[in-house]
């Protein structure tokens, strides 16, 4: 009896193609959701929150973020932000509209408040970058900072996704773990870079950073004063 085996090289080609399509589809969904939020539509009506402009107020120009006060050493700031609060921190591009929309989405999909946020351009953000060996002005990637270390690009996205819970009893952690082990990092990062490198052309940028204006999310945004001496 003859048994036809699927050629190994064909299987590898299939696996790479399949993995790439998964990441491309995920990115398309992500961009679509972000666009919906930024235009005032609320994806799936997950919460009572309003559009981006109602959550944040623009109060600081990017050039004014560097305070005239003395700053603490990066390692000191790192210890401070996790001293009494061990929740991970998402460092995002504060002038990127796409990134701000993604922050809104994360706030909606994290009803238990397991994540915190800070702009990459903020004093805390710059210190956390330096504490993990990155340039203080490097805004090329989202950074997911935990007490155990920091993650960038697709690893950051998957780490964040593990903490999200878009619907009751529907955690995204299993999906994130599957993506981590089934899709090669080189493919995941390639898709991430494609989106990140074009984020300003996709949804534009602003000249100011944003913060929680009405205090509704006070405990979700890291206090920038933690970087002061």
């Amino acid at each position: 009896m003859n048994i036809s085996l699927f050629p190994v090289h064909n299987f590898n080609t299939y696996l790479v193609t399949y993995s790439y399509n998964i990441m491309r589809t995920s990115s398309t969904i992500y961009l679509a959701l972000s666009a919906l939020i930024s235009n005032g539509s609320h994806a799936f009506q997950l919460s009572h929150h309003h559009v981006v402009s109602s959550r944040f107020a623009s109060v600081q120009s990017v050039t004014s973020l560097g305070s005239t006060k003395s700053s603490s050493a990066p390692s000191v700031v790192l210890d401070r932000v996790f001293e009494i609060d061990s929740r991970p921190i998402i460092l995002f591009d504060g002038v990127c509209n796409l990134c701000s929309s993604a922050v809104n989405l994360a706030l909606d999909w994290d009803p238990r408040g397991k994540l915190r946020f800070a702009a990459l351009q903020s004093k805390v953000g710059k210190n956390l970058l330096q504490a993990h060996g990155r340039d203080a002005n490097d805004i090329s990637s989202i950074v997911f900072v935990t007490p155990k270390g920091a993650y960038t690009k697709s690893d950051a996205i998957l780490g964040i996704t593990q903490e999200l819970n878009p619907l009751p009893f529907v955690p995204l952690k299993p999906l994130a773990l599957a993506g981590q082990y089934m899709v090669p990092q080189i493919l995941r990062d390639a898709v991430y870079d494609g989106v990140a490198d074009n984020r300003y052309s996709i949804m534009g940028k602003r000249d100011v950073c944003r913060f929680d204006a009405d205090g509704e999310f006070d405990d979700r945004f890291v206090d920038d004063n933690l970087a002061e001496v």
Side-chain angles (χ1 to χ4, degrees), residues 19-89:
S19 300
Y20 172 77
N21 287 333
I22 290 176
M23 292 302 297
R24 185 175 62 177
T25 301
S26 299
S27 297
T28 301
I29 294 173
Y30 168 79
L31 291 175
L33 289 174
S34 297
L36 282 173
I37 295 175
S38 67
N39 288 324
S41 299
H42 204 290
F44 310 122
Q45 297 297 320
L46 292 175
S47 76
H48 66 282
H49 302 314
H50 300 297
V51 295
V52 177
S53 59
S54 68
R55 290 186 171 180
F56 302 92
S58 304
V59 293
Q60 285 184 304
S61 66
V62 177
T63 55
S64 69
L65 281 175
S67 171
T68 56
K69 296 181 181 179
S70 299
S71 296
S72 299
S75 59
V76 174
V77 176
L78 177 63
D79 290 339
R80 283 178 184 169
V81 298
F82 289 115
E83 186 174 11
I84 59 174
D85 193 336
S86 62
R87 290 178 299 172
I89 300 169

Side-chain angles (χ1 to χ4, degrees), residues 16 36-37 51-52 74 96 103 110 112 116 118-119 125-126 144 146 165 179 196 205 216 226:
V16 170
L36 282 173
I37 295 175
V51 295
V52 177
C96 167
V103 169
D110 179 27
R112 296 182 180 179
R116 293 183 289 166
K126 290 183 177 183
F144 186 52
T146 74
N165 203 113
K205 61 182 295 187
E216 183 179 2
L226 290 174

Side-chain angles (χ1 to χ4, degrees), residues 3 66 101 135 166:
I3 301 177
S101 295
D135 187 273

